[in-house]
mmCIF file of all heavy atoms in Angstrom:
data_model
loop_
_atom_site.group_PDB
_atom_site.id
_atom_site.type_symbol
_atom_site.label_atom_id
_atom_site.label_comp_id
_atom_site.label_asym_id
_atom_site.label_seq_id
_atom_site.Cartn_x
_atom_site.Cartn_y
_atom_site.Cartn_z
ATOM 1 N N ARG A 266 -21.245 -20.378 17.455
ATOM 2 C CA ARG A 266 -21.009 -21.131 16.218
ATOM 3 C C ARG A 266 -22.334 -21.662 15.696
ATOM 4 O O ARG A 266 -23.245 -21.983 16.467
ATOM 5 C CB ARG A 266 -20.092 -22.324 16.493
ATOM 6 C CG ARG A 266 -18.653 -22.012 16.703
ATOM 7 C CD ARG A 266 -17.862 -23.321 16.719
ATOM 8 N NE ARG A 266 -18.320 -24.224 17.753
ATOM 9 C CZ ARG A 266 -17.656 -24.454 18.873
ATOM 10 N NH1 ARG A 266 -16.521 -23.798 19.107
ATOM 11 N NH2 ARG A 266 -18.117 -25.305 19.755
ATOM 12 N N ASP A 267 -22.419 -21.736 14.386
ATOM 13 C CA ASP A 267 -23.525 -22.428 13.723
ATOM 14 C C ASP A 267 -22.898 -23.608 13.003
ATOM 15 O O ASP A 267 -22.413 -23.476 11.872
ATOM 16 C CB ASP A 267 -24.234 -21.488 12.756
ATOM 17 C CG ASP A 267 -25.458 -22.133 12.111
ATOM 18 O OD1 ASP A 267 -25.519 -23.377 12.059
ATOM 19 O OD2 ASP A 267 -26.328 -21.415 11.641
ATOM 20 N N ASN A 268 -22.894 -24.744 13.672
ATOM 21 C CA ASN A 268 -22.191 -25.908 13.109
ATOM 22 C C ASN A 268 -22.820 -26.384 11.804
ATOM 23 O O ASN A 268 -22.121 -26.868 10.913
ATOM 24 C CB ASN A 268 -22.164 -27.042 14.133
ATOM 25 C CG ASN A 268 -21.264 -26.720 15.320
ATOM 26 O OD1 ASN A 268 -20.319 -25.949 15.208
ATOM 27 N ND2 ASN A 268 -21.576 -27.313 16.463
ATOM 28 N N ALA A 269 -24.122 -26.230 11.679
ATOM 29 C CA ALA A 269 -24.804 -26.673 10.466
ATOM 30 C C ALA A 269 -24.314 -25.884 9.253
ATOM 31 O O ALA A 269 -24.252 -26.416 8.145
ATOM 32 C CB ALA A 269 -26.306 -26.518 10.623
ATOM 33 N N LYS A 270 -23.984 -24.602 9.481
ATOM 34 C CA LYS A 270 -23.502 -23.754 8.382
ATOM 35 C C LYS A 270 -21.985 -23.638 8.371
ATOM 36 O O LYS A 270 -21.424 -22.942 7.522
ATOM 37 C CB LYS A 270 -24.120 -22.361 8.497
ATOM 38 C CG LYS A 270 -25.629 -22.347 8.330
ATOM 39 C CD LYS A 270 -26.170 -20.925 8.427
ATOM 40 C CE LYS A 270 -27.671 -20.896 8.236
ATOM 41 N NZ LYS A 270 -28.215 -19.519 8.312
ATOM 42 N N ASN A 271 -21.330 -24.333 9.333
ATOM 43 C CA ASN A 271 -19.868 -24.230 9.469
ATOM 44 C C ASN A 271 -19.416 -22.780 9.534
ATOM 45 O O ASN A 271 -18.501 -22.346 8.822
ATOM 46 C CB ASN A 271 -19.147 -24.959 8.329
ATOM 47 C CG ASN A 271 -17.792 -25.498 8.770
ATOM 48 O OD1 ASN A 271 -17.639 -25.983 9.893
ATOM 49 N ND2 ASN A 271 -16.818 -25.426 7.891
ATOM 50 N N THR A 272 -20.063 -22.043 10.420
ATOM 51 C CA THR A 272 -19.876 -20.600 10.519
ATOM 52 C C THR A 272 -19.729 -20.181 11.973
ATOM 53 O O THR A 272 -20.366 -20.751 12.860
ATOM 54 C CB THR A 272 -21.082 -19.872 9.907
ATOM 55 O OG1 THR A 272 -21.151 -20.178 8.503
ATOM 56 C CG2 THR A 272 -20.977 -18.365 10.073
ATOM 57 N N MET A 273 -18.878 -19.200 12.194
ATOM 58 C CA MET A 273 -18.775 -18.562 13.510
ATOM 59 C C MET A 273 -19.456 -17.202 13.431
ATOM 60 O O MET A 273 -19.367 -16.525 12.399
ATOM 61 C CB MET A 273 -17.310 -18.404 13.914
ATOM 62 C CG MET A 273 -17.118 -17.783 15.292
ATOM 63 S SD MET A 273 -15.380 -17.705 15.780
ATOM 64 C CE MET A 273 -14.708 -16.606 14.549
ATOM 65 N N VAL A 274 -20.105 -16.818 14.509
ATOM 66 C CA VAL A 274 -20.913 -15.599 14.508
ATOM 67 C C VAL A 274 -20.498 -14.698 15.657
ATOM 68 O O VAL A 274 -20.112 -15.165 16.734
ATOM 69 C CB VAL A 274 -22.406 -15.960 14.644
ATOM 70 C CG1 VAL A 274 -23.262 -14.703 14.787
ATOM 71 C CG2 VAL A 274 -22.875 -16.790 13.459
ATOM 72 N N LEU A 275 -20.556 -13.397 15.417
ATOM 73 C CA LEU A 275 -20.362 -12.416 16.488
ATOM 74 C C LEU A 275 -21.569 -11.473 16.468
ATOM 75 O O LEU A 275 -21.730 -10.677 15.539
ATOM 76 C CB LEU A 275 -19.071 -11.628 16.294
ATOM 77 C CG LEU A 275 -18.733 -10.661 17.431
ATOM 78 C CD1 LEU A 275 -18.369 -11.452 18.699
ATOM 79 C CD2 LEU A 275 -17.594 -9.738 17.038
ATOM 80 N N GLN A 276 -22.411 -11.593 17.475
ATOM 81 C CA GLN A 276 -23.548 -10.691 17.632
ATOM 82 C C GLN A 276 -23.086 -9.495 18.449
ATOM 83 O O GLN A 276 -22.623 -9.664 19.577
ATOM 84 C CB GLN A 276 -24.701 -11.403 18.335
ATOM 85 C CG GLN A 276 -25.917 -10.516 18.588
ATOM 86 C CD GLN A 276 -26.591 -10.074 17.296
ATOM 87 O OE1 GLN A 276 -26.790 -10.870 16.388
ATOM 88 N NE2 GLN A 276 -26.947 -8.791 17.224
ATOM 89 N N MET A 277 -23.233 -8.323 17.874
ATOM 90 C CA MET A 277 -22.753 -7.109 18.519
ATOM 91 C C MET A 277 -23.939 -6.188 18.794
ATOM 92 O O MET A 277 -24.618 -5.746 17.856
ATOM 93 C CB MET A 277 -21.728 -6.401 17.628
ATOM 94 C CG MET A 277 -20.577 -7.297 17.207
ATOM 95 S SD MET A 277 -19.264 -6.389 16.349
ATOM 96 C CE MET A 277 -20.141 -5.827 14.907
ATOM 97 N N ASN A 278 -24.180 -5.923 20.057
ATOM 98 C CA ASN A 278 -25.274 -5.037 20.475
ATOM 99 C C ASN A 278 -24.714 -3.810 21.182
ATOM 100 O O ASN A 278 -23.557 -3.794 21.609
ATOM 101 C CB ASN A 278 -26.230 -5.787 21.405
ATOM 102 C CG ASN A 278 -26.876 -6.982 20.739
ATOM 103 O OD1 ASN A 278 -27.124 -7.001 19.536
ATOM 104 N ND2 ASN A 278 -27.159 -8.022 21.522
ATOM 105 N N SER A 279 -25.541 -2.802 21.323
ATOM 106 C CA SER A 279 -25.154 -1.576 22.030
ATOM 107 C C SER A 279 -23.815 -1.048 21.513
ATOM 108 O O SER A 279 -22.908 -0.732 22.292
ATOM 109 C CB SER A 279 -25.087 -1.830 23.538
ATOM 110 O OG SER A 279 -26.325 -2.292 24.030
ATOM 111 N N LEU A 280 -23.687 -0.959 20.224
ATOM 112 C CA LEU A 280 -22.414 -0.557 19.624
ATOM 113 C C LEU A 280 -22.041 0.866 19.994
ATOM 114 O O LEU A 280 -22.902 1.753 20.116
ATOM 115 C CB LEU A 280 -22.472 -0.735 18.110
ATOM 116 C CG LEU A 280 -22.342 -2.188 17.666
ATOM 117 C CD1 LEU A 280 -22.847 -2.384 16.250
ATOM 118 C CD2 LEU A 280 -20.886 -2.650 17.768
ATOM 119 N N GLU A 281 -20.760 1.069 20.180
ATOM 120 C CA GLU A 281 -20.192 2.347 20.568
ATOM 121 C C GLU A 281 -19.226 2.817 19.491
ATOM 122 O O GLU A 281 -18.736 2.032 18.681
ATOM 123 C CB GLU A 281 -19.466 2.199 21.902
ATOM 124 C CG GLU A 281 -20.337 1.654 23.022
ATOM 125 C CD GLU A 281 -19.555 1.303 24.265
ATOM 126 O OE1 GLU A 281 -18.301 1.350 24.231
ATOM 127 O OE2 GLU A 281 -20.192 0.976 25.303
ATOM 128 N N TYR A 282 -18.940 4.133 19.508
ATOM 129 C CA TYR A 282 -18.003 4.678 18.524
ATOM 130 C C TYR A 282 -16.682 3.896 18.534
ATOM 131 O O TYR A 282 -16.091 3.645 17.475
ATOM 132 C CB TYR A 282 -17.717 6.142 18.820
ATOM 133 C CG TYR A 282 -18.886 7.073 18.623
ATOM 134 C CD1 TYR A 282 -19.471 7.715 19.704
ATOM 135 C CD2 TYR A 282 -19.389 7.330 17.340
ATOM 136 C CE1 TYR A 282 -20.535 8.583 19.527
ATOM 137 C CE2 TYR A 282 -20.453 8.195 17.161
ATOM 138 C CZ TYR A 282 -21.027 8.817 18.258
ATOM 139 O OH TYR A 282 -22.086 9.677 18.077
ATOM 140 N N GLU A 283 -16.252 3.512 19.729
ATOM 141 C CA GLU A 283 -14.959 2.839 19.873
ATOM 142 C C GLU A 283 -14.941 1.435 19.280
ATOM 143 O O GLU A 283 -13.879 0.812 19.188
ATOM 144 C CB GLU A 283 -14.564 2.769 21.357
ATOM 145 C CG GLU A 283 -14.297 4.117 22.002
ATOM 146 C CD GLU A 283 -15.550 4.926 22.293
ATOM 147 O OE1 GLU A 283 -16.661 4.328 22.312
ATOM 148 O OE2 GLU A 283 -15.428 6.149 22.478
ATOM 149 N N ASP A 284 -16.100 0.922 18.901
ATOM 150 C CA ASP A 284 -16.154 -0.400 18.273
ATOM 151 C C ASP A 284 -15.840 -0.350 16.781
ATOM 152 O O ASP A 284 -15.717 -1.395 16.128
ATOM 153 C CB ASP A 284 -17.541 -1.021 18.469
ATOM 154 C CG ASP A 284 -17.857 -1.303 19.927
ATOM 155 O OD1 ASP A 284 -16.955 -1.779 20.645
ATOM 156 O OD2 ASP A 284 -19.011 -1.048 20.338
ATOM 157 N N SER A 285 -15.701 0.837 16.221
ATOM 158 C CA SER A 285 -15.385 0.970 14.802
ATOM 159 C C SER A 285 -14.014 0.374 14.511
ATOM 160 O O SER A 285 -13.025 0.736 15.164
ATOM 161 C CB SER A 285 -15.401 2.447 14.386
ATOM 162 O OG SER A 285 -16.699 2.989 14.511
ATOM 163 N N ALA A 286 -13.966 -0.530 13.569
ATOM 164 C CA ALA A 286 -12.722 -1.217 13.240
ATOM 165 C C ALA A 286 -12.991 -2.202 12.111
ATOM 166 O O ALA A 286 -14.150 -2.433 11.741
ATOM 167 C CB ALA A 286 -12.172 -1.972 14.457
ATOM 168 N N VAL A 287 -11.917 -2.773 11.599
ATOM 169 C CA VAL A 287 -12.039 -3.926 10.720
ATOM 170 C C VAL A 287 -12.020 -5.171 11.612
ATOM 171 O O VAL A 287 -11.121 -5.321 12.445
ATOM 172 C CB VAL A 287 -10.919 -3.986 9.679
ATOM 173 C CG1 VAL A 287 -11.069 -5.238 8.817
ATOM 174 C CG2 VAL A 287 -10.918 -2.739 8.816
ATOM 175 N N TYR A 288 -13.001 -6.015 11.445
ATOM 176 C CA TYR A 288 -13.130 -7.217 12.257
ATOM 177 C C TYR A 288 -12.673 -8.435 11.456
ATOM 178 O O TYR A 288 -13.077 -8.624 10.309
ATOM 179 C CB TYR A 288 -14.567 -7.394 12.721
ATOM 180 C CG TYR A 288 -14.941 -6.456 13.847
ATOM 181 C CD1 TYR A 288 -15.077 -5.082 13.627
ATOM 182 C CD2 TYR A 288 -15.128 -6.929 15.147
ATOM 183 C CE1 TYR A 288 -15.387 -4.218 14.673
ATOM 184 C CE2 TYR A 288 -15.448 -6.079 16.189
ATOM 185 C CZ TYR A 288 -15.573 -4.724 15.939
ATOM 186 O OH TYR A 288 -15.876 -3.866 16.981
ATOM 187 N N TYR A 289 -11.834 -9.243 12.105
ATOM 188 C CA TYR A 289 -11.272 -10.432 11.478
ATOM 189 C C TYR A 289 -11.614 -11.672 12.305
ATOM 190 O O TYR A 289 -11.620 -11.615 13.542
ATOM 191 C CB TYR A 289 -9.757 -10.334 11.403
ATOM 192 C CG TYR A 289 -9.212 -9.163 10.639
ATOM 193 C CD1 TYR A 289 -8.961 -7.946 11.271
ATOM 194 C CD2 TYR A 289 -8.923 -9.266 9.275
ATOM 195 C CE1 TYR A 289 -8.439 -6.870 10.579
ATOM 196 C CE2 TYR A 289 -8.397 -8.195 8.569
ATOM 197 C CZ TYR A 289 -8.165 -7.007 9.225
ATOM 198 O OH TYR A 289 -7.646 -5.938 8.533
ATOM 199 N N CYS A 290 -11.812 -12.779 11.626
ATOM 200 C CA CYS A 290 -11.902 -14.047 12.340
ATOM 201 C C CYS A 290 -10.635 -14.842 12.088
ATOM 202 O O CYS A 290 -9.948 -14.626 11.078
ATOM 203 C CB CYS A 290 -13.132 -14.855 11.925
ATOM 204 S SG CYS A 290 -13.225 -15.313 10.190
ATOM 205 N N ASN A 291 -10.307 -15.718 13.023
ATOM 206 C CA ASN A 291 -9.116 -16.544 12.833
ATOM 207 C C ASN A 291 -9.288 -17.922 13.426
ATOM 208 O O ASN A 291 -10.187 -18.184 14.213
ATOM 209 C CB ASN A 291 -7.873 -15.841 13.365
ATOM 210 C CG ASN A 291 -7.627 -16.068 14.838
ATOM 211 O OD1 ASN A 291 -8.505 -16.474 15.602
ATOM 212 N ND2 ASN A 291 -6.397 -15.795 15.270
ATOM 213 N N VAL A 292 -8.392 -18.808 13.011
ATOM 214 C CA VAL A 292 -8.349 -20.165 13.540
ATOM 215 C C VAL A 292 -6.901 -20.621 13.472
ATOM 216 O O VAL A 292 -6.147 -20.232 12.572
ATOM 217 C CB VAL A 292 -9.266 -21.117 12.747
ATOM 218 C CG1 VAL A 292 -8.800 -21.264 11.300
ATOM 219 C CG2 VAL A 292 -9.375 -22.477 13.419
ATOM 220 N N TYR A 293 -6.517 -21.429 14.465
ATOM 221 C CA TYR A 293 -5.161 -21.974 14.484
ATOM 222 C C TYR A 293 -5.234 -23.444 14.116
ATOM 223 O O TYR A 293 -5.858 -24.242 14.817
ATOM 224 C CB TYR A 293 -4.513 -21.797 15.857
ATOM 225 C CG TYR A 293 -3.103 -22.326 15.891
ATOM 226 C CD1 TYR A 293 -2.068 -21.620 15.312
ATOM 227 C CD2 TYR A 293 -2.815 -23.564 16.481
ATOM 228 C CE1 TYR A 293 -0.771 -22.111 15.322
ATOM 229 C CE2 TYR A 293 -1.528 -24.054 16.492
ATOM 230 C CZ TYR A 293 -0.516 -23.321 15.916
ATOM 231 O OH TYR A 293 0.762 -23.818 15.920
ATOM 232 N N LEU A 294 -4.585 -23.780 13.001
ATOM 233 C CA LEU A 294 -4.541 -25.165 12.523
ATOM 234 C C LEU A 294 -3.101 -25.506 12.195
ATOM 235 O O LEU A 294 -2.751 -25.749 11.044
ATOM 236 C CB LEU A 294 -5.431 -25.325 11.282
ATOM 237 C CG LEU A 294 -6.910 -24.975 11.433
ATOM 238 C CD1 LEU A 294 -7.583 -24.953 10.066
ATOM 239 C CD2 LEU A 294 -7.610 -25.957 12.347
ATOM 240 N N GLY A 295 -2.257 -25.437 13.217
ATOM 241 C CA GLY A 295 -0.832 -25.617 12.968
ATOM 242 C C GLY A 295 -0.176 -24.304 12.603
ATOM 243 O O GLY A 295 1.000 -24.071 12.882
ATOM 244 N N LYS A 296 -0.913 -23.457 11.961
ATOM 245 C CA LYS A 296 -0.563 -22.061 11.752
ATOM 246 C C LYS A 296 -1.857 -21.275 11.815
ATOM 247 O O LYS A 296 -2.955 -21.835 11.743
ATOM 248 C CB LYS A 296 0.153 -21.864 10.415
ATOM 249 C CG LYS A 296 -0.736 -22.022 9.187
ATOM 250 C CD LYS A 296 0.024 -21.613 7.927
ATOM 251 C CE LYS A 296 -0.898 -21.581 6.729
ATOM 252 N NZ LYS A 296 -0.193 -21.131 5.494
ATOM 253 N N THR A 297 -1.718 -19.954 11.951
ATOM 254 C CA THR A 297 -2.901 -19.119 12.103
ATOM 255 C C THR A 297 -3.420 -18.668 10.743
ATOM 256 O O THR A 297 -2.658 -18.178 9.903
ATOM 257 C CB THR A 297 -2.576 -17.882 12.946
ATOM 258 O OG1 THR A 297 -2.113 -18.311 14.231
ATOM 259 C CG2 THR A 297 -3.817 -17.032 13.143
ATOM 260 N N TYR A 298 -4.705 -18.865 10.562
ATOM 261 C CA TYR A 298 -5.361 -18.401 9.351
ATOM 262 C C TYR A 298 -6.277 -17.222 9.696
ATOM 263 O O TYR A 298 -6.947 -17.233 10.746
ATOM 264 C CB TYR A 298 -6.210 -19.522 8.741
ATOM 265 C CG TYR A 298 -5.403 -20.667 8.182
ATOM 266 C CD1 TYR A 298 -4.986 -21.715 9.001
ATOM 267 C CD2 TYR A 298 -5.043 -20.698 6.830
ATOM 268 C CE1 TYR A 298 -4.248 -22.764 8.497
ATOM 269 C CE2 TYR A 298 -4.302 -21.757 6.327
ATOM 270 C CZ TYR A 298 -3.908 -22.778 7.161
ATOM 271 O OH TYR A 298 -3.157 -23.815 6.643
ATOM 272 N N TRP A 299 -6.313 -16.242 8.803
ATOM 273 C CA TRP A 299 -7.141 -15.053 8.976
ATOM 274 C C TRP A 299 -8.063 -14.880 7.781
ATOM 275 O O TRP A 299 -7.697 -15.216 6.652
ATOM 276 C CB TRP A 299 -6.278 -13.800 9.098
ATOM 277 C CG TRP A 299 -5.402 -13.750 10.300
ATOM 278 C CD1 TRP A 299 -4.120 -14.185 10.402
ATOM 279 C CD2 TRP A 299 -5.741 -13.229 11.590
ATOM 280 N NE1 TRP A 299 -3.640 -13.974 11.674
ATOM 281 C CE2 TRP A 299 -4.609 -13.383 12.412
ATOM 282 C CE3 TRP A 299 -6.887 -12.640 12.126
ATOM 283 C CZ2 TRP A 299 -4.596 -12.966 13.744
ATOM 284 C CZ3 TRP A 299 -6.880 -12.233 13.444
ATOM 285 C CH2 TRP A 299 -5.744 -12.396 14.241
ATOM 286 N N GLY A 300 -9.216 -14.293 8.030
ATOM 287 C CA GLY A 300 -10.058 -13.868 6.941
ATOM 288 C C GLY A 300 -9.599 -12.515 6.425
ATOM 289 O O GLY A 300 -8.618 -11.943 6.918
ATOM 290 N N GLN A 301 -10.332 -11.979 5.461
ATOM 291 C CA GLN A 301 -9.940 -10.709 4.847
ATOM 292 C C GLN A 301 -10.448 -9.507 5.626
ATOM 293 O O GLN A 301 -10.018 -8.384 5.388
ATOM 294 C CB GLN A 301 -10.470 -10.648 3.399
ATOM 295 C CG GLN A 301 -11.917 -10.179 3.259
ATOM 296 C CD GLN A 301 -12.932 -11.203 3.735
ATOM 297 O OE1 GLN A 301 -12.605 -12.352 3.998
ATOM 298 N NE2 GLN A 301 -14.186 -10.788 3.858
ATOM 299 N N GLY A 302 -11.377 -9.759 6.547
ATOM 300 C CA GLY A 302 -11.897 -8.684 7.393
ATOM 301 C C GLY A 302 -13.176 -8.072 6.864
ATOM 302 O O GLY A 302 -13.455 -8.111 5.658
ATOM 303 N N THR A 303 -13.952 -7.508 7.785
ATOM 304 C CA THR A 303 -15.161 -6.789 7.429
ATOM 305 C C THR A 303 -15.218 -5.495 8.242
ATOM 306 O O THR A 303 -14.950 -5.511 9.441
ATOM 307 C CB THR A 303 -16.423 -7.649 7.651
ATOM 308 O OG1 THR A 303 -17.581 -6.971 7.156
ATOM 309 C CG2 THR A 303 -16.635 -8.023 9.106
ATOM 310 N N GLN A 304 -15.526 -4.405 7.589
ATOM 311 C CA GLN A 304 -15.481 -3.085 8.218
ATOM 312 C C GLN A 304 -16.751 -2.828 9.022
ATOM 313 O O GLN A 304 -17.869 -2.997 8.512
ATOM 314 C CB GLN A 304 -15.332 -1.992 7.159
ATOM 315 C CG GLN A 304 -15.353 -0.572 7.705
ATOM 316 C CD GLN A 304 -14.095 -0.231 8.479
ATOM 317 O OE1 GLN A 304 -12.983 -0.436 8.000
ATOM 318 N NE2 GLN A 304 -14.267 0.311 9.686
ATOM 319 N N VAL A 305 -16.564 -2.399 10.250
ATOM 320 C CA VAL A 305 -17.666 -1.953 11.100
ATOM 321 C C VAL A 305 -17.434 -0.487 11.427
ATOM 322 O O VAL A 305 -16.373 -0.125 11.947
ATOM 323 C CB VAL A 305 -17.756 -2.784 12.393
ATOM 324 C CG1 VAL A 305 -18.768 -2.173 13.355
ATOM 325 C CG2 VAL A 305 -18.120 -4.227 12.073
ATOM 326 N N THR A 306 -18.393 0.346 11.105
ATOM 327 C CA THR A 306 -18.291 1.765 11.391
ATOM 328 C C THR A 306 -19.492 2.186 12.226
ATOM 329 O O THR A 306 -20.641 2.006 11.798
ATOM 330 C CB THR A 306 -18.249 2.596 10.104
ATOM 331 O OG1 THR A 306 -17.143 2.167 9.303
ATOM 332 C CG2 THR A 306 -18.102 4.083 10.423
ATOM 333 N N VAL A 307 -19.206 2.718 13.395
ATOM 334 C CA VAL A 307 -20.261 3.208 14.286
ATOM 335 C C VAL A 307 -20.218 4.730 14.235
ATOM 336 O O VAL A 307 -19.230 5.336 14.663
ATOM 337 C CB VAL A 307 -20.084 2.701 15.718
ATOM 338 C CG1 VAL A 307 -21.246 3.165 16.593
ATOM 339 C CG2 VAL A 307 -19.970 1.183 15.730
ATOM 340 N N SER A 308 -21.267 5.309 13.696
ATOM 341 C CA SER A 308 -21.284 6.753 13.505
ATOM 342 C C SER A 308 -22.713 7.261 13.461
ATOM 343 O O SER A 308 -23.615 6.566 12.985
ATOM 344 C CB SER A 308 -20.563 7.114 12.208
ATOM 345 O OG SER A 308 -20.650 8.504 11.956
ATOM 346 N N SER A 309 -22.895 8.478 13.952
ATOM 347 C CA SER A 309 -24.216 9.099 13.896
ATOM 348 C C SER A 309 -24.335 9.979 12.656
ATOM 349 O O SER A 309 -25.376 10.593 12.429
ATOM 350 C CB SER A 309 -24.482 9.909 15.157
ATOM 351 O OG SER A 309 -23.458 10.870 15.349
#
């Protein structure tokens, strides 16, 4: 987390083909909230 920016971060290294997906963040505040997602594509 970067509390100063009110942001959560995912550092992804050594990416593999199988990591290709839409990535979502979420938080539970009485109910679950989701972001809209960001596409990660691992390809040569």
Side-chain angles (χ1 to χ4, degrees):
R266 285 190 301 254
D267 184 337
N268 291 333
K270 296 181 179 181
N271 210 39
T272 296
M273 182 176 64
V274 174
L275 185 69
Q276 178 66 45
M277 306 188 297
N278 299 328
S279 302
L280 284 161
E281 304 171 353
Y282 293 113
E283 294 75 18
D284 295 319
S285 295
V287 178
Y288 284 70
Y289 301 89
C290 60
N291 86 342
V292 64
Y293 181 76
L294 301 170
K296 71 172 188 178
T297 301
Y298 292 86
W299 295 92
Q301 84 288 349
T303 186
Q304 177 71 50
V305 171
T306 302
V307 183
S308 176
S309 56

